[in-house]
Amino acid sequence: MFVPRTVKRKLPHAVPAELPPRALQPISTGSVAAQPESSNPADTSSKHPPRAPTGPVQQPKKGPNYSEEDLAWKHIVALEMLFAPSSSVRFAAKSIDGSSGWIHLSHIISHRSISNLRPSPSQIALATALRTIPSALIELSADGYHVRQRELPFNPLIGTDDEMTIYVEPVPAKLTDDALDVAVALRKEMSAEDPCLPIQRVFGLGRGYALVLLSSIVDESTVKNIKMPMTWMVLTKAEHDRRDVEYQRLIQSDYDALRRRRRVSPEPRRREEGRLTPPREVGRLTPPPLPSLPPKSRPASTSTPTPYEKGLILHLSHLHEETNKPTIQSFLAQVANRQQYFDKNPSAQLEYDGAPIEDATDTNLVHVQYVDYTKPSDTAYVRLSTPAEAILLARALTFQHRVMRAKDDCKGTSVGENSERKYVVGNVLEGERERIYWEMLEDAKTKGKRKRKAGDQDRSRAVESVGEVQQLVVNKAKGTHMKFD
Amino acid sequence: MATITTTTLLLEMFGDGGLDSLFLNKNVLDVGCNEGRVTCAISQHLGARHVKGVDIDPFLIRKAKEYKRKLYSRQKTGRDTQVRFFPLSSLDKHGLRPLLDAGDKVSIRPRLSTFPENTDFVAQDWLQTPLGDDEEGIYDVVLALSLTKWIHLNSFDAGLKSFFDKCLRALRPGGHFIVEPQPWPSYVTAVKKKCRALASNLDKLEMRPENGFGGWLLNNGWEEVFIAGGNEEGKGFDAREIRVYRKPLDVTALIDEISPCEFQNTICRVP
């Protein structure tokens, strides 16, 4: 019977127009639940004999950089993560041919961790991936529409998350733009029966590094046995933390040495009672005393009195490289207002499409004291009025995932957590890092004042040795006045 | 711009098992150093005594200095220096280590120094800046990677020849000139896609980069040492070749300086 195209109802998810004959065959043994549920009940074509496909099965549109094989790997890794031990996702399973635990692929692709993949896979794509790439964890049913978790052929050593986590620096570094790309690159190198599989999670992503939670304890000896890409830097979490502490101590000693060096300044040769007084040596940690000269006192600081108030400094990263201070300030104000609206209307965040929020209050929730930023850079330090504001902004940025698309983009664009575009991230400075920041800020201000008085033109040389706050002095040299209320 | 591909090629050619004597304990000049990737690779991995990176763009020089500082922050010095020791996450979390001996000193240090003290970057139009008396004949190696196209397009054949002559003067006798010329199709692409203003300049160029600029280098004081790379089937940087030339030894001056025994040994060692 001829059915006009306009009458045919379309399926909720994409299904190729012509299915391979295998998919149209009913499951044997006559189990009622084994009927392929993806077929459209209103589609009368299922009652007709299956047609041989007249051409290649249409796949969803691929991104410009993904090959068939790449897509298959992405699907496999995403599926394995979904079925990982730490995954809290549970699907309704059923029996097929007397064996239990089968889950229909329609449930799988409707889960957000799969549907959020770009391009979003179809059931056919997932089935093809499982046939193409072996997985020790996931099994595909004979009909090609159901999957289930296999019994692992090995006994993994289960430990704490830290014991099962490794730190990786992939090559190329741009892999860390997307957590799944890191997992795929790693998974490709590992054999399907590796006891550390599946990869449970990729987190702590940064520019060129990531943490990977595996499924078995990894120590120094096993990390060498895991087949990793040769050019990658791979460390156990414990070793990573140890080196991190060592680096922290090293940088602290560097800044201590720097401060000692800067306290000792060269003195002009002075004539005292007919003889020349030798100048102070530059670089000595303890300068020799000069009884004829009064001890050089540092100018009284007019900035924020020490000890400083903790928790005021928010470190922003992944800003637009050409942005400016007013834009950053406005961006943060909008983030805070948006978060206030979402806190009051939790359901609104899920439906938020980026349009201006009419109900958001116009009053500023955060009061930015100072924006420490110099072009071109994608990081900035923002001093706020209270620690609560800093925490609010850090939390809001974590949830909102806003990308600064242009240098004057105050609103930002919302992206997914696994987006390739880097969204603005905020971290409140604390501990040693905060202390160092305040001390260097103080030193930079004092140095700048001293340099202005001495008429020293070589400000750029002083800038090089200050470290993270070096740009403050550059701002001063350029005439930008730094104020602290 | 020379990329990691060129860096990798250089490290393979001149690293362990390669012609490492070309850079070991030598003074190197990298003209058009861009972000300093190759410059730092030479100074950190190949044991150069001193490497000076020069680029016309001060923004790139700033990036190069940041890159140098980042590499310095990652390495652990000691009995066995480990280059990639500290994780990148530590650098992100705690910041970069300050360069205690920072500055723009470009004097050639008499003793072997280690990274990063042996690396300097300067924002300078090296082609236009006159070569000072203290810079003539002091470099053991001069690099011009992915640079000649831009000199050629902006300064024509005369400018390119002037650049080669300047490199010759900057090198000591026996010094090496490493050039990675961009092929002619890339000139056309660059003019079409990036610098349409240079389209009129393109028509005035007579020299072609292939075969060492049509043999010009060989006919003007250079000795060809070897050629590497140049995969004809490759695309982009895979198709680039690296050519190594040498400034001839001033044999007369050498005989005056050293004893006959040393002279004989020196001549035998030169490839």
Side-chain angles (χ1 to χ4, degrees):
Chain A
M1 173 184 153
F2 170 73
V3 178
R5 191 180 304 157
T6 52
V7 176
K8 289 182 185 176
R9 278 194 291 174
K10 290 186 180 176
L11 294 170
H13 45 265
V15 173
E18 295 175 354
L19 298 173
R22 187 177 180 183
L24 292 175
Q25 290 173 5
I27 304 296
S28 61
T29 73
S31 170
V32 175
Q35 293 299 328
E37 293 178 6
S38 62
S39 56
N40 185 359
D43 190 357
T44 56
S45 62
S46 60
K47 296 182 182 176
H48 296 277
R51 291 175 292 170
T54 55
V57 174
Q58 292 179 8
Q59 294 292 336
K61 284 186 181 176
K62 293 184 277 291
N65 297 324
Y66 293 119
S67 63
E68 293 272 358
E69 190 185 351
D70 286 343
L71 278 177
W73 275 109
K74 279 187 84 171
H75 298 153
I76 287 293
V77 172
L79 280 173
E80 288 186 347
M81 282 176 142
L82 197 58
F83 284 91
S86 65
S87 172
S88 58
V89 178
R90 296 290 177 266
F91 296 102
K94 59 188 180 186
S95 297
I96 298 177
D97 297 344
S99 57
S100 59
W102 293 104
I103 303 161
H104 199 277
L105 283 174
S106 60
H107 301 311
I108 303 289
I109 64 171
S110 62
H111 189 269
R112 65 175 177 167
S113 66
I114 303 294
S115 63
N116 282 346
L117 295 177
R118 288 291 174 266
S120 58
S122 64
Q123 297 178 49
I124 302 294
L126 291 182
T128 306
L130 283 165
R131 289 191 193 102
T132 311
I133 297 167
S135 171
L137 187 67
I138 302 170
E139 182 184 2
L140 181 69
S141 65
D143 68 351
Y145 278 101
H146 298 81
V147 293
R148 71 174 176 181
Q149 193 168 353
R150 290 186 212 265
E151 264 193 46
L152 292 176
F154 42 81
N155 291 326
L157 284 171
I158 307 296
T160 62
D161 278 2
D162 273 2
E163 288 172 331
M164 298 194 294
T165 299
I166 56 173
Y167 168 87
V168 297
E169 287 182 13
V171 176
K174 67 177 182 179
L175 282 174
T176 53
D177 287 350
D178 189 341
L180 195 58
D181 286 343
V182 176
V184 167
L186 200 56
R187 176 67 176 84
K188 279 182 180 178
E189 297 288 328
M190 301 166 81
S191 75
E193 286 81 29
D194 195 305
C196 291
L197 286 176
I199 296 169
Q200 300 203 47
R201 195 159 54 104
V202 177
F203 60 103
L205 287 147
R207 283 173 290 182
Y209 59 88
L211 290 165
V212 181
L213 176 62
L214 299 171
S215 298
S216 179
I217 291 177
V218 182
D219 57 20
E220 289 300 324
S221 57
T222 53
V223 77
K224 293 173 187 174
N225 293 333
I226 296 174
K227 201 177 169 197
M228 294 282 180
M230 291 295 293
T231 50
W232 288 29
M233 178 183 186
V234 180
L235 302 169
T236 59
K237 182 75 167 40
E239 176 64 14
H240 163 268
D241 292 345
R242 189 191 68 76
R243 292 190 187 191
D244 185 69
V245 168
E246 187 177 342
Y247 182 77
Q248 209 173 341
R249 287 190 191 133
L250 191 62
I251 203 172
Q252 178 61 48
S253 67
D254 283 347
Y255 280 118
D256 287 344
L258 194 65
R259 274 190 288 274
R260 283 194 297 269
R261 182 175 297 196
R262 291 174 71 230
R263 283 196 197 110
V264 177
S265 58
E267 291 291 330
R269 295 173 72 85
R270 294 176 183 275
R271 186 173 290 275
E272 185 201 24
E273 298 180 355
R275 56 184 175 85
L276 288 170
T277 308
R280 290 182 180 182
E281 295 176 29
V282 177
R284 287 187 59 173
L285 298 179
T286 51
L290 295 173
S292 61
L293 293 172
K296 189 160 188 172
S297 59
R298 298 180 70 175
S301 173
T302 56
S303 65
T304 309
T306 56
Y308 52 87
E309 189 175 352
K310 295 184 180 179
L312 295 183
I313 307 297
L314 180 71
H315 175 239
L316 299 174
S317 51
H318 303 156
L319 299 166
H320 192 277
E321 279 196 354
E322 296 293 321
T323 190
N324 50 61
K325 294 181 185 181
T327 303
I328 293 173
Q329 202 160 338
S330 180
F331 181 86
L332 291 176
Q334 294 209 25
V335 163
N337 284 345
R338 203 178 292 118
Q339 191 61 37
Q340 185 198 44
Y341 176 74
F342 289 148
D343 287 344
K344 290 178 182 175
N345 305 279
S347 60
Q349 190 167 11
L350 295 175
E351 301 161 356
Y352 183 56
D353 59 354
I357 299 173
E358 295 176 356
D359 293 342
T361 58
D362 292 332
T363 57
N364 284 332
L365 294 172
V366 294
H367 299 88
V368 175
Q369 296 280 334
Y370 183 71
V371 180
D372 177 358
Y373 173 75
T374 305
K375 286 183 200 179
S377 174
D378 64 348
T379 60
Y381 292 87
V382 178
R383 180 169 173 258
L384 296 148
S385 302
T386 63
E389 292 176 2
I391 294 170
L392 166 72
L393 283 173
R395 183 175 70 89
L397 288 167
T398 302
F399 284 117
Q400 292 185 24
H401 301 157
R402 312 291 295 185
V403 172
M404 247 193 186
R405 283 198 168 184
K407 61 181 181 181
D408 54 356
D409 182 6
C410 303
K411 197 170 66 175
T413 306
S414 180
V415 296
E417 187 176 0
N418 294 323
S419 166
E420 292 178 355
R421 305 204 59 172
K422 294 188 177 179
Y423 47 85
V424 178
V425 173
N427 292 301
V428 180
L429 288 192
E430 53 189 8
E432 270 304 302
R433 199 166 173 214
E434 186 184 25
R435 184 183 69 79
I436 291 171
Y437 177 84
W438 279 106
E439 284 186 3
M440 296 312 296
L441 195 65
E442 190 63 33
D443 288 348
K445 283 171 62 186
T446 309
K447 180 82 174 181
K449 284 180 184 174
R450 219 182 299 142
K451 288 280 186 185
R452 264 208 306 278
K453 285 182 182 174
D456 190 343
Q457 297 299 319
D458 194 10
R459 292 194 179 92
S460 61
R461 188 178 293 270
V463 165
E464 288 287 338
S465 58
V466 169
E468 281 191 61
V469 292
Q470 62 186 4
Q471 292 174 350
L472 288 170
V473 181
V474 173
N475 282 340
K476 282 191 171 180
K478 289 180 183 176
T480 306
H481 185 53
M482 187 172 65
K483 285 183 180 177
F484 280 91
D485 295 327
Chain B
M1 178 184 87
T3 64
I4 190 68
T5 307
T6 310
T7 308
T8 309
L9 186 60
L10 278 177
L11 289 176
E12 285 174 2
M13 286 162 52
F14 302 116
D16 293 339
L19 298 175
D20 53 357
S21 59
L22 214 59
F23 291 104
L24 186 65
N25 199 22
K26 298 290 168 49
N27 300 325
V28 182
L29 172 68
D30 184 4
V31 187
C33 64
N34 202 273
E35 291 187 7
R37 304 295 169 121
V38 174
T39 320
C40 290
I42 292 170
S43 57
Q44 194 177 33
H45 294 278
L46 300 182
R49 183 196 307 166
H50 184 265
V51 186
K52 175 181 172 183
V54 174
D55 200 285
I56 196 173
D57 189 344
F59 175 73
L60 291 175
I61 291 296
R62 195 190 312 172
K63 299 272 277 185
K65 288 177 180 175
E66 286 176 10
Y67 181 67
K68 179 178 87 167
R69 194 173 158 206
K70 183 179 168 184
L71 290 181
Y72 166 64
S73 298
R74 293 205 72 182
Q75 76 178 15
K76 181 180 179 182
T77 52
R79 188 171 293 180
D80 298 317
T81 299
Q82 296 181 60
V83 173
R84 245 188 359 163
F85 182 79
F86 295 110
L88 274 177
S89 59
S90 299
L91 272 61
D92 257 6
K93 190 174 167 187
H94 306 294
L96 302 181
R97 293 179 66 187
L99 284 170
L100 298 183
D101 293 320
D104 292 330
K105 296 176 186 174
V106 294
S107 61
I108 304 298
R109 294 161 181 82
R111 292 174 296 175
L112 179 69
S113 55
T114 55
F115 184 84
E117 290 84 7
N118 63 349
T119 312
D120 288 308
F121 292 101
V122 176
Q124 186 184 52
D125 185 349
W126 194 76
L127 183 62
Q128 301 299 331
T129 308
L131 200 61
D133 292 338
D134 58 342
E135 274 202 288
E136 289 234 6
I138 63 168
Y139 293 107
D140 298 292
V141 184
V142 172
L143 290 123
L145 306 177
S146 300
L147 177 69
T148 50
K149 174 172 73 177
W150 302 111
I151 296 177
H152 206 178
L153 280 170
N154 282 282
S155 310
F156 309 100
D157 293 347
L160 189 62
K161 291 173 186 174
S162 169
F163 169 71
F164 290 142
D165 286 338
K166 193 173 179 184
C167 291
L168 192 66
R169 283 186 291 126
L171 280 169
R172 63 157 184 81
H176 290 83
F177 177 49
I178 302 175
V179 58
E180 183 196 30
Q182 294 104 321
W184 183 251
S186 70
Y187 282 56
V188 179
T189 309
V191 164
K192 274 185 188 173
K193 292 185 180 178
K194 294 180 186 177
C195 304
R196 291 181 183 272
L198 297 175
S200 57
N201 294 7
L202 188 69
D203 300 330
K204 296 172 188 170
L205 304 182
E206 292 178 358
M207 285 174 71
R208 293 292 181 266
E210 284 75 20
N211 298 321
F213 295 91
W216 188 89
L217 287 165
L218 285 178
N219 296 332
N220 287 273
W222 295 96
E223 296 172 354
E224 189 173 274
V225 178
F226 73 91
I227 304 165
N231 180 6
E232 291 179 357
E233 297 173 4
K235 291 182 181 178
F237 288 98
D238 288 340
R240 300 277 176 92
E241 62 179 15
I242 291 183
R243 289 177 167 262
V244 181
Y245 294 89
R246 183 176 57 215
K247 179 174 178 177
L249 278 173
D250 186 356
V251 178
T252 311
L254 191 63
I255 291 175
D256 290 340
E257 286 178 11
I258 60 176
S259 69
C261 295
E262 288 177 10
F263 168 70
Q264 187 66 26
N265 290 337
T266 306
I267 292 296
C268 290
R269 269 207 307 275
V270 170

